[in-house]
Coordinates of all heavy atoms in Angstrom, one line a residue:
F84 N 69.3 16.0 48.4 CA 70.4 17.0 48.3 C 71.5 16.5 47.4 O 71.9 15.3 47.5 CB 70.9 17.4 49.6 CG 72.1 18.4 49.5 CD1 71.7 19.7 49.4 CD2 73.4 18.0 49.5 CE1 72.7 20.7 49.2 CE2 74.4 18.9 49.4 CZ 74.1 20.3 49.3
G85 N 71.9 17.3 46.4 CA 73.0 16.9 45.6 C 74.0 18.0 45.6 O 73.7 19.2 46.0
Y86 N 75.2 17.7 45.1 CA 76.3 18.7 45.0 C 77.1 18.4 43.8 O 77.2 17.3 43.3 CB 77.1 18.8 46.3 CG 77.8 17.5 46.7 CD1 79.1 17.3 46.4 CD2 77.1 16.6 47.4 CE1 79.7 16.1 46.8 CE2 77.7 15.4 47.8 CZ 79.0 15.1 47.5 OH 79.6 14.0 47.8
A87 N 77.8 19.4 43.4 CA 78.7 19.3 42.1 C 79.7 18.2 42.3 O 80.4 18.1 43.4 CB 79.3 20.6 41.8
N88 N 79.9 17.4 41.3 CA 80.9 16.3 41.2 C 80.7 15.3 42.4 O 81.7 14.7 42.8 CB 82.3 16.9 41.3 CG 82.6 17.8 40.1 OD1 82.2 17.5 39.0 ND2 83.1 19.0 40.3
A89 N 79.5 15.0 42.8 CA 79.3 14.0 43.8 C 79.8 12.7 43.3 O 79.5 12.3 42.2 CB 77.8 14.0 44.2
E90 N 80.5 12.0 44.2 CA 81.0 10.6 43.8 C 80.5 9.6 44.8 O 79.6 8.8 44.4 CB 82.6 10.7 43.9 CG 83.2 11.5 42.8 CD 83.1 10.8 41.4 OE1 83.2 9.6 41.3 OE2 82.9 11.5 40.4
Y91 N 81.0 9.5 46.0 CA 80.6 8.5 46.9 C 80.7 9.0 48.4 O 81.7 9.0 49.0 CB 81.5 7.2 46.8 CG 81.2 6.1 47.8 CD1 79.9 5.5 47.7 CD2 82.1 5.8 48.8 CE1 79.6 4.5 48.6 CE2 81.8 4.7 49.7 CZ 80.6 4.1 49.6 OH 80.3 3.1 50.5
T92 N 79.6 9.5 48.8 CA 79.5 10.1 50.2 C 78.7 9.0 51.0 O 77.6 8.6 50.7 CB 78.7 11.4 50.2 OG1 79.3 12.3 49.4 CG2 78.5 11.9 51.6
H93 N 79.4 8.6 52.1 CA 78.7 7.6 52.9 C 78.8 7.9 54.4 O 78.2 7.1 55.2 CB 79.4 6.2 52.7 CG 80.6 6.0 53.4 ND1 81.8 6.6 53.0 CD2 80.9 5.2 54.5 CE1 82.8 6.1 53.8 NE2 82.3 5.3 54.7
Q94 N 79.4 9.0 54.8 CA 79.5 9.2 56.3 C 79.7 10.7 56.5 O 80.4 11.4 55.7 CB 80.7 8.4 56.9 CG 80.7 8.4 58.4 CD 81.5 9.5 59.0 OE1 82.3 10.2 58.4 NE2 81.4 9.7 60.3
G95 N 79.2 11.2 57.6 CA 79.4 12.6 58.0 C 79.0 12.7 59.5 O 78.6 11.7 60.1
W96 N 79.1 13.9 60.0 CA 78.8 14.2 61.4 C 78.2 15.6 61.6 O 78.7 16.5 60.9 CB 80.1 14.0 62.2 CG 79.8 13.6 63.6 CD1 79.8 14.4 64.7 CD2 79.7 12.3 64.1 NE1 79.6 13.7 65.8 CE2 79.5 12.4 65.5 CE3 79.6 11.0 63.5 CZ2 79.3 11.3 66.3 CZ3 79.4 9.9 64.3 CH2 79.3 10.0 65.7
L97 N 77.2 15.7 62.4 CA 76.7 17.0 62.8 C 77.6 17.7 63.7 O 78.2 17.1 64.6 CB 75.3 16.9 63.4 CG 74.2 16.5 62.5 CD1 72.9 16.1 63.3 CD2 73.9 17.5 61.4
T98 N 77.6 19.1 63.6 CA 78.3 19.9 64.7 C 77.4 19.8 65.9 O 76.3 19.4 65.9 CB 78.4 21.3 64.2 OG1 77.1 21.9 63.9 CG2 79.4 21.5 63.0
E99 N 78.0 20.1 67.1 CA 77.3 19.9 68.3 C 76.0 20.7 68.4 O 75.1 20.3 69.1 CB 78.2 20.2 69.5 CG 79.3 19.1 69.6 CD 80.1 19.2 70.9 OE1 80.0 20.2 71.6 OE2 80.9 18.2 71.1
D100 N 76.0 21.9 67.7 CA 74.7 22.7 67.7 C 73.7 22.2 66.7 O 72.6 22.7 66.5 CB 75.0 24.1 67.5 CG 75.8 24.4 66.2 OD1 75.9 23.5 65.4 OD2 76.2 25.6 66.1
H101 N 74.1 21.2 65.9 CA 73.3 20.6 64.8 C 72.9 21.5 63.7 O 72.0 21.3 62.9 CB 72.0 20.0 65.4 CG 72.2 18.8 66.3 ND1 71.2 18.1 66.8 CD2 73.3 18.3 66.8 CE1 71.7 17.1 67.6 NE2 73.0 17.3 67.6
D102 N 73.7 22.6 63.6 CA 73.5 23.6 62.5 C 74.2 23.1 61.2 O 73.8 23.6 60.1 CB 74.1 24.9 62.9 CG 73.1 25.7 63.9 OD1 72.0 25.2 64.1 OD2 73.6 26.7 64.5
F103 N 75.3 22.4 61.3 CA 76.1 22.0 60.1 C 76.3 20.5 60.1 O 76.6 19.9 61.1 CB 77.4 22.8 60.1 CG 77.2 24.3 59.9 CD1 77.1 25.1 61.1 CD2 77.1 24.8 58.7 CE1 76.9 26.4 61.0 CE2 76.9 26.2 58.6 CZ 76.8 27.0 59.7
F104 N 76.4 20.0 58.9 CA 76.7 18.6 58.6 C 78.0 18.6 57.9 O 78.1 19.1 56.8 CB 75.6 17.9 57.8 CG 75.9 16.4 57.6 CD1 75.8 15.5 58.6 CD2 76.1 16.0 56.3 CE1 76.0 14.2 58.4 CE2 76.3 14.6 56.0 CZ 76.3 13.7 57.1
I105 N 79.1 18.0 58.5 CA 80.4 17.9 57.9 C 80.6 16.6 57.3 O 80.3 15.6 58.0 CB 81.5 18.2 59.0 CG1 81.2 19.3 59.9 CG2 82.9 18.3 58.3 CD1 81.1 20.7 59.3
F106 N 81.0 16.5 56.0 CA 81.1 15.2 55.4 C 82.2 15.1 54.4 O 82.7 16.2 53.9 CB 79.7 14.7 54.8 CG 79.3 15.6 53.6 CD1 79.5 15.2 52.3 CD2 78.5 16.7 53.8 CE1 79.0 15.9 51.2 CE2 78.1 17.5 52.8 CZ 78.3 17.1 51.5
D107 N 82.6 13.9 54.0 CA 83.6 13.7 53.0 C 83.0 12.9 51.8 O 82.0 12.1 52.0 CB 84.8 12.9 53.6 CG 85.5 13.7 54.7 OD1 85.7 14.9 54.5 OD2 85.8 13.0 55.7
D108 N 83.6 13.0 50.7 CA 83.2 12.2 49.5 C 84.4 11.2 49.3 O 85.5 11.7 49.0 CB 83.0 13.1 48.3 CG 82.5 12.3 47.1 OD1 83.0 11.2 46.9 OD2 81.5 12.8 46.5
E109 N 84.2 10.0 49.5 CA 85.3 9.0 49.6 C 86.1 8.8 48.3 O 87.2 8.4 48.3 CB 84.9 7.7 50.2 CG 86.0 6.8 50.6 CD 85.6 5.7 51.5 OE1 84.7 5.8 52.3 OE2 86.2 4.6 51.3
T110 N 85.5 9.1 47.2 CA 86.2 8.8 45.9 C 86.5 10.1 45.0 O 87.0 9.9 44.0 CB 85.5 7.8 45.1 OG1 84.2 8.2 44.7 CG2 85.4 6.4 45.8
D111 N 86.1 11.2 45.5 CA 86.3 12.4 44.7 C 87.8 12.7 44.5 O 88.2 13.2 43.4 CB 85.6 13.6 45.2 CG 85.9 14.1 46.6 OD1 86.6 13.3 47.3 OD2 85.5 15.2 47.0
E112 N 88.6 12.5 45.5 CA 90.1 12.7 45.3 C 90.7 11.9 44.2 O 91.5 12.3 43.5 CB 90.8 12.4 46.7 CG 90.5 13.4 47.8 CD 89.3 13.1 48.5 OE1 88.7 12.0 48.4 OE2 88.8 13.9 49.3
Q113 N 90.2 10.6 44.2 CA 90.7 9.7 43.2 C 90.2 10.0 41.8 O 90.9 9.9 40.8 CB 90.4 8.3 43.6 CG 90.9 7.2 42.8 CD 90.5 5.8 43.3 OE1 89.6 5.7 44.2 NE2 91.2 4.8 42.9
N114 N 88.9 10.2 41.7 CA 88.2 10.4 40.4 C 88.3 11.8 39.8 O 88.3 12.0 38.6 CB 86.8 9.9 40.5 CG 86.7 8.5 40.8 OD1 87.6 7.7 40.6 ND2 85.5 8.1 41.3
I115 N 88.3 12.8 40.7 CA 88.3 14.2 40.2 C 89.7 14.8 40.3 O 90.0 15.8 39.7 CB 87.3 15.0 40.9 CG1 85.9 14.4 40.7 CG2 87.3 16.5 40.5 CD1 84.8 15.0 41.5
R116 N 90.6 14.2 41.1 CA 92.0 14.6 41.2 C 92.1 16.0 41.9 O 92.6 16.9 41.3 CB 92.7 14.6 39.9 CG 92.6 13.3 39.1 CD 93.6 12.3 39.7 NE 93.5 11.1 38.9 CZ 93.9 9.9 39.3 NH1 94.3 9.8 40.5 NH2 93.8 8.9 38.6
H117 N 91.7 16.0 43.2 CA 92.0 17.2 43.9 C 92.5 16.8 45.3 O 92.5 15.6 45.7 CB 90.8 18.2 44.0 CG 89.6 17.6 44.5 ND1 89.4 17.2 45.8 CD2 88.4 17.4 43.9 CE1 88.2 16.7 45.9 NE2 87.5 16.8 44.8
K118 N 92.9 17.8 46.1 CA 93.3 17.5 47.5 C 92.1 17.0 48.3 O 91.0 17.1 47.9 CB 93.8 18.8 48.2 CG 95.0 19.4 47.5 CD 96.3 18.5 47.7 CE 97.5 19.2 47.1 NZ 98.6 18.4 47.0
T119 N 92.4 16.4 49.5 CA 91.4 15.9 50.3 C 90.3 17.0 50.6 O 90.7 18.1 51.0 CB 92.0 15.5 51.7 OG1 93.0 14.5 51.5 CG2 90.9 14.9 52.6
K120 N 89.1 16.7 50.2 CA 88.1 17.7 50.3 C 87.0 17.4 51.3 O 86.4 16.3 51.3 CB 87.4 17.9 48.9 CG 86.5 19.1 48.8 CD 86.1 19.3 47.3 CE 85.5 20.6 47.1 NZ 85.1 20.8 45.6
T121 N 86.8 18.3 52.2 CA 85.7 18.2 53.3 C 84.6 19.2 53.0 O 84.9 20.4 52.7 CB 86.4 18.5 54.7 OG1 87.5 17.6 54.8 CG2 85.4 18.3 55.8
Y122 N 83.4 18.7 53.1 CA 82.2 19.6 52.7 C 81.5 20.0 54.0 O 81.4 19.2 55.0 CB 81.3 18.8 51.9 CG 81.9 18.3 50.5 CD1 82.6 17.2 50.4 CD2 81.7 19.1 49.4 CE1 83.2 16.8 49.2 CE2 82.2 18.7 48.2 CZ 82.9 17.6 48.1 OH 83.5 17.2 46.9
V123 N 81.0 21.2 54.0 CA 80.2 21.8 55.1 C 78.8 22.1 54.6 O 78.7 23.0 53.7 CB 80.9 23.0 55.7 CG1 80.1 23.5 56.9 CG2 82.3 22.6 56.1
L124 N 77.8 21.5 55.1 CA 76.4 21.7 54.7 C 75.6 22.3 55.8 O 75.6 21.8 57.0 CB 75.8 20.3 54.3 CG 74.4 20.3 53.7 CD1 74.4 21.0 52.3 CD2 73.9 18.9 53.6
N125 N 75.0 23.5 55.5 CA 74.2 24.2 56.5 C 72.8 23.4 56.5 O 72.1 23.4 55.5 CB 74.0 25.6 56.1 CG 73.2 26.4 57.1 OD1 72.2 25.9 57.7 ND2 73.5 27.7 57.2
V126 N 72.5 22.9 57.7 CA 71.2 22.1 57.8 C 70.3 22.7 58.9 O 69.4 22.1 59.4 CB 71.5 20.6 58.1 CG1 72.1 19.9 56.9 CG2 72.3 20.4 59.4
R127 N 70.5 24.0 59.1 CA 69.6 24.7 60.1 C 68.1 24.5 59.7 O 67.3 24.4 60.5 CB 70.0 26.2 60.2 CG 71.2 26.4 60.9 CD 71.5 27.9 61.0 NE 72.8 28.2 61.6 CZ 73.8 28.9 61.1 NH1 73.6 29.5 59.9 NH2 74.9 29.0 61.7
K128 N 67.9 24.6 58.4 CA 66.5 24.4 57.8 C 66.6 23.1 57.0 O 67.0 23.0 55.9 CB 66.1 25.5 57.0 CG 64.7 25.5 56.6 CD 64.2 26.7 55.9 CE 62.7 26.7 55.6 NZ 62.3 27.9 54.9
L129 N 66.2 21.9 57.6 CA 66.4 20.6 57.0 C 65.7 20.5 55.7 O 66.2 19.8 54.8 CB 65.9 19.5 58.0 CG 66.8 19.2 59.1 CD1 66.1 18.2 60.0 CD2 68.1 18.7 58.6
S130 N 64.6 21.2 55.5 CA 63.9 21.2 54.2 C 64.7 21.9 53.1 O 64.4 21.7 51.9 CB 62.5 21.7 54.3 OG 62.5 23.1 54.7
Q131 N 65.7 22.7 53.4 CA 66.4 23.5 52.5 C 67.9 23.5 52.8 O 68.4 24.6 53.2 CB 65.9 24.9 52.3 CG 64.5 24.9 51.8 CD 64.0 26.4 51.7 OE1 64.4 27.3 52.4 NE2 63.0 26.6 50.8
P132 N 68.6 22.4 52.8 CA 70.1 22.4 53.1 C 70.8 23.2 52.1 O 70.5 23.3 50.9 CB 70.5 20.9 53.0 CG 69.4 20.3 52.2 CD 68.2 21.1 52.3
V133 N 71.9 23.9 52.5 CA 72.7 24.8 51.7 C 74.2 24.4 51.9 O 74.6 24.3 53.0 CB 72.4 26.2 52.1 CG1 73.3 27.2 51.3 CG2 71.0 26.6 51.8
M134 N 74.9 24.3 50.8 CA 76.3 24.0 50.9 C 77.0 25.3 51.5 O 76.9 26.4 50.8 CB 76.9 23.7 49.6 CG 78.4 23.3 49.6 SD 78.7 21.8 50.5 CE 78.1 20.6 49.5
A135 N 77.6 25.2 52.6 CA 78.2 26.4 53.3 C 79.6 26.6 52.9 O 80.1 27.7 53.0 CB 78.0 26.3 54.8
G136 N 80.3 25.5 52.5 CA 81.7 25.7 52.1 C 82.4 24.4 52.0 O 81.8 23.3 52.2
T137 N 83.6 24.4 51.6 CA 84.5 23.2 51.6 C 85.9 23.6 52.1 O 86.2 24.8 52.2 CB 84.7 22.7 50.1 OG1 85.2 23.8 49.3 CG2 83.3 22.3 49.5
H138 N 86.6 22.6 52.4 CA 88.0 22.7 52.9 C 88.9 21.7 52.1 O 88.6 20.6 52.0 CB 88.1 22.4 54.4 CG 89.5 22.3 54.8 ND1 90.3 23.4 55.1 CD2 90.3 21.2 55.1 CE1 91.5 23.0 55.5 NE2 91.5 21.7 55.5
L139 N 89.9 22.3 51.5 CA 90.9 21.4 50.8 C 92.0 21.1 51.7 O 92.6 22.1 52.2 CB 91.3 22.1 49.5 CG 90.3 22.1 48.3 CD1 90.9 22.8 47.1 CD2 89.9 20.7 47.9
G140 N 92.3 19.9 51.9 CA 93.4 19.5 52.8 C 94.8 19.7 52.2 O 95.0 20.2 51.0
R141 N 95.8 19.2 52.9 CA 97.2 19.3 52.5 C 97.7 18.2 51.5 O 98.8 18.3 50.9 CB 98.1 19.4 53.7 CG 98.0 18.3 54.7 CD 98.8 18.4 55.9 NE 98.5 17.5 57.0 CZ 98.5 16.2 56.9 NH1 98.8 15.6 55.7 NH2 98.2 15.4 57.9
T142 N 97.0 17.1 51.4 CA 97.4 16.0 50.6 C 96.3 15.6 49.7 O 95.2 16.1 49.8 CB 97.8 14.8 51.5 OG1 96.6 14.2 52.0 CG2 98.8 15.1 52.6
D143 N 96.6 14.6 48.8 CA 95.5 14.1 47.9 C 95.0 12.8 48.4 O 94.4 12.0 47.6 CB 96.0 14.0 46.5 CG 97.2 13.1 46.3 OD1 97.8 12.6 47.3 OD2 97.7 12.9 45.2
A144 N 95.2 12.5 49.7 CA 94.8 11.2 50.3 C 93.2 11.1 50.3 O 92.5 12.1 50.5 CB 95.3 11.1 51.7
I145 N 92.7 9.9 50.1 CA 91.3 9.7 50.2 C 90.8 9.7 51.6 O 91.4 9.1 52.5 CB 91.0 8.3 49.6 CG1 91.3 8.3 48.1 CG2 89.5 7.9 49.8 CD1 91.2 6.9 47.4
D146 N 89.8 10.6 51.9 CA 89.3 10.7 53.2 C 88.3 9.5 53.5 O 87.8 8.9 52.6 CB 88.6 12.0 53.4 CG 87.8 12.4 52.2 OD1 87.3 11.6 51.4 OD2 87.7 13.6 51.9
H147 N 88.2 9.2 54.7 CA 87.3 8.1 55.1 C 86.2 8.6 56.0 O 85.2 9.1 55.6 CB 88.1 6.9 55.7 CG 87.3 5.7 55.9 ND1 86.6 5.1 54.9 CD2 87.1 5.0 57.0 CE1 85.9 4.0 55.3 NE2 86.2 3.9 56.6
N148 N 86.4 8.4 57.3 CA 85.3 8.9 58.2 C 85.8 10.1 59.0 O 87.0 10.3 59.2 CB 85.0 7.7 59.2 CG 84.3 6.6 58.5 OD1 83.6 6.8 57.5 ND2 84.4 5.4 59.1
L149 N 84.8 10.8 59.5 CA 85.2 12.0 60.4 C 84.2 12.1 61.5 O 83.1 11.6 61.4 CB 85.2 13.3 59.6 CG 84.0 13.7 58.8 CD1 83.0 14.4 59.7 CD2 84.4 14.7 57.8
Y150 N 84.6 12.7 62.6 CA 83.8 12.9 63.8 C 84.1 14.3 64.3 O 85.2 14.8 64.2 CB 84.1 11.9 64.8 CG 83.9 10.5 64.3 CD1 84.9 9.7 63.8 CD2 82.6 9.9 64.3 CE1 84.7 8.5 63.3 CE2 82.3 8.7 63.8 CZ 83.4 7.9 63.2 OH 83.2 6.7 62.7
V151 N 83.0 15.0 64.8 CA 83.1 16.3 65.3 C 83.0 16.2 66.9 O 82.1 15.6 67.4 CB 82.0 17.2 64.8 CG1 82.1 18.6 65.4 CG2 82.1 17.3 63.3
M152 N 83.9 16.9 67.5 CA 83.9 17.1 69.0 C 84.2 18.6 69.3 O 85.3 19.0 69.0 CB 84.9 16.2 69.7 CG 84.8 16.3 71.2 SD 86.0 15.2 72.0 CE 85.1 13.7 71.9
G153 N 83.2 19.3 69.8 CA 83.4 20.7 70.0 C 83.6 21.4 68.7 O 82.8 21.3 67.8
D154 N 84.6 22.2 68.6 CA 84.9 22.9 67.3 C 86.1 22.2 66.6 O 86.8 22.9 65.8 CB 85.2 24.4 67.6 CG 86.4 24.6 68.5 OD1 86.9 23.6 69.1 OD2 86.8 25.7 68.7
V155 N 86.3 20.9 66.7 CA 87.3 20.2 66.1 C 86.7 19.0 65.3 O 85.8 18.3 65.8 CB 88.3 19.7 67.1 CG1 89.4 18.8 66.4 CG2 89.0 20.8 67.9
V156 N 87.3 18.8 64.1 CA 86.9 17.7 63.3 C 88.1 16.7 63.2 O 89.2 17.1 62.9 CB 86.5 18.1 61.8 CG1 86.2 16.9 60.9 CG2 85.4 19.1 61.8
F157 N 87.8 15.5 63.6 CA 88.8 14.4 63.5 C 88.5 13.6 62.3 O 87.5 13.0 62.2 CB 88.8 13.5 64.7 CG 89.1 14.3 66.0 CD1 88.1 14.9 66.8 CD2 90.4 14.5 66.4 CE1 88.4 15.6 67.9 CE2 90.8 15.2 67.5 CZ 89.7 15.7 68.3
Q158 N 89.4 13.6 61.3 CA 89.2 13.0 60.0 C 90.2 11.9 59.7 O 91.4 12.2 59.7 CB 89.2 14.1 58.9 CG 89.1 13.6 57.5 CD 89.3 14.7 56.5 OE1 90.5 15.2 56.4 NE2 88.3 15.1 55.8
A159 N 89.8 10.7 59.4 CA 90.7 9.6 59.1 C 90.9 9.6 57.6 O 90.0 9.9 56.8 CB 90.1 8.3 59.5
N160 N 92.1 9.3 57.1 CA 92.5 9.3 55.7 C 93.2 8.0 55.5 O 93.9 7.5 56.3 CB 93.3 10.4 55.3 CG 92.6 11.7 55.3 OD1 92.1 12.2 54.3 ND2 92.5 12.4 56.5
Y161 N 93.0 7.4 54.3 CA 93.6 6.1 54.0 C 95.1 6.2 54.0 O 95.8 5.3 54.4 CB 93.1 5.6 52.6 CG 91.7 5.0 52.7 CD1 90.6 5.6 52.2 CD2 91.5 3.8 53.4 CE1 89.3 5.1 52.3 CE2 90.2 3.2 53.5 CZ 89.2 3.9 52.9 OH 87.9 3.3 53.0
R162 N 95.7 7.3 53.4 CA 97.2 7.3 53.3 C 97.8 8.4 54.1 O 99.0 8.5 54.2 CB 97.6 7.5 51.8 CG 97.2 6.2 51.0 CD 97.6 6.4 49.6 NE 96.9 7.6 49.0 CZ 97.5 8.5 48.1 NH1 98.7 8.3 47.7 NH2 96.7 9.5 47.7
A163 N 97.0 9.3 54.7 CA 97.5 10.5 55.4 C 97.3 10.4 56.9 O 97.6 11.4 57.6 CB 97.0 11.8 54.8
G164 N 96.7 9.3 57.4 CA 96.5 9.2 58.8 C 95.4 10.0 59.3 O 94.3 10.2 58.6
L165 N 95.6 10.6 60.4 CA 94.6 11.5 61.1 C 94.8 12.9 60.8 O 95.9 13.4 61.0 CB 94.6 11.2 62.6 CG 93.7 12.1 63.4 CD1 92.2 11.8 63.2 CD2 94.0 12.0 64.9
N166 N 93.7 13.6 60.3 CA 93.8 15.0 60.1 C 92.9 15.6 61.2 O 91.8 15.1 61.5 CB 93.2 15.5 58.7 CG 94.3 15.3 57.7 OD1 95.4 15.4 57.9 ND2 93.8 14.9 56.5
V167 N 93.3 16.7 61.8 CA 92.5 17.4 62.8 C 92.3 18.8 62.2 O 93.2 19.6 62.0 CB 93.3 17.5 64.1 CG1 92.4 18.3 65.2 CG2 93.6 16.1 64.7
L168 N 91.0 19.1 62.0 CA 90.6 20.4 61.4 C 89.8 21.2 62.5 O 89.0 20.7 63.2 CB 89.6 20.1 60.2 CG 90.1 19.1 59.2 CD1 89.1 18.9 58.2 CD2 91.4 19.6 58.5
Q169 N 90.1 22.5 62.4 CA 89.5 23.5 63.4 C 88.2 24.1 62.7 O 88.3 24.6 61.5 CB 90.4 24.6 63.7 CG 89.9 25.6 64.7 CD 89.8 25.1 66.1 OE1 90.6 24.4 66.6 NE2 88.6 25.4 66.7
L170 N 87.1 24.0 63.3 CA 85.9 24.7 62.8 C 85.9 26.2 63.2 O 86.2 26.5 64.3 CB 84.6 24.0 63.3 CG 84.4 22.6 62.9 CD1 83.2 22.0 63.7 CD2 84.1 22.5 61.4
D171 N 85.6 27.0 62.2 CA 85.5 28.4 62.5 C 84.1 28.9 62.6 O 83.2 28.4 62.0 CB 86.3 29.2 61.5 CG 87.8 29.0 61.5 OD1 88.3 28.8 62.6 OD2 88.4 29.1 60.4

């Protein structure tokens, strides 16, 4: 699977229903110059994953690791600390 402007993706987490894979690209903020970007990949059909959407954060901090618990994403950032995102 590839996506536009892929830089360095090394970690992500499945939603509890295993329908979506939430992940960050660790160097896209630095190299492409946008806000912290979180990607949502629909993996209901593993042979055909589909990019379901993205979320742009409030800062341009580089994201690191994230974990999903229920409908909440806990995302660590190098300069912005912990971000807590609500899944809809």
Side-chain angles (χ1 to χ4, degrees):
F84 177 81
Y86 59 96
N88 299 315
E90 290 286 324
Y91 178 65
T92 301
H93 81 287
Q94 192 269 347
W96 206 263
L97 288 168
T98 55
E99 290 189 353
D100 59 10
H101 295 188
D102 285 347
F103 297 92
F104 183 67
I105 315 297
F106 66 97
D107 297 317
D108 187 317
E109 194 166 324
T110 60
D111 59 349
E112 292 83 11
Q113 184 177 18
N114 296 338
I115 300 173
R116 305 282 184 205
H117 55 66
K118 299 289 187 194
T119 303
K120 192 171 190 177
T121 305
Y122 298 84
V123 180
L124 187 65
N125 181 328
V126 293
R127 287 182 183 126
K128 189 170 183 181
L129 283 176
S130 61
Q131 296 178 338
V133 176
M134 187 63 72
T137 60
H138 169 77
L139 287 178
R141 56 183 168 54
T142 72
D143 58 356
I145 295 171
D146 40 32
H147 188 55
N148 290 335
L149 58 78
Y150 301 94
V151 177
M152 181 179 281
D154 60 353
V155 177
V156 177
F157 298 92
Q158 178 188 66
N160 288 266
Y161 282 110
R162 293 180 301 143
L165 175 68
N166 282 326
V167 180
L168 310 174
Q169 181 72 42
L170 293 173
D171 291 329

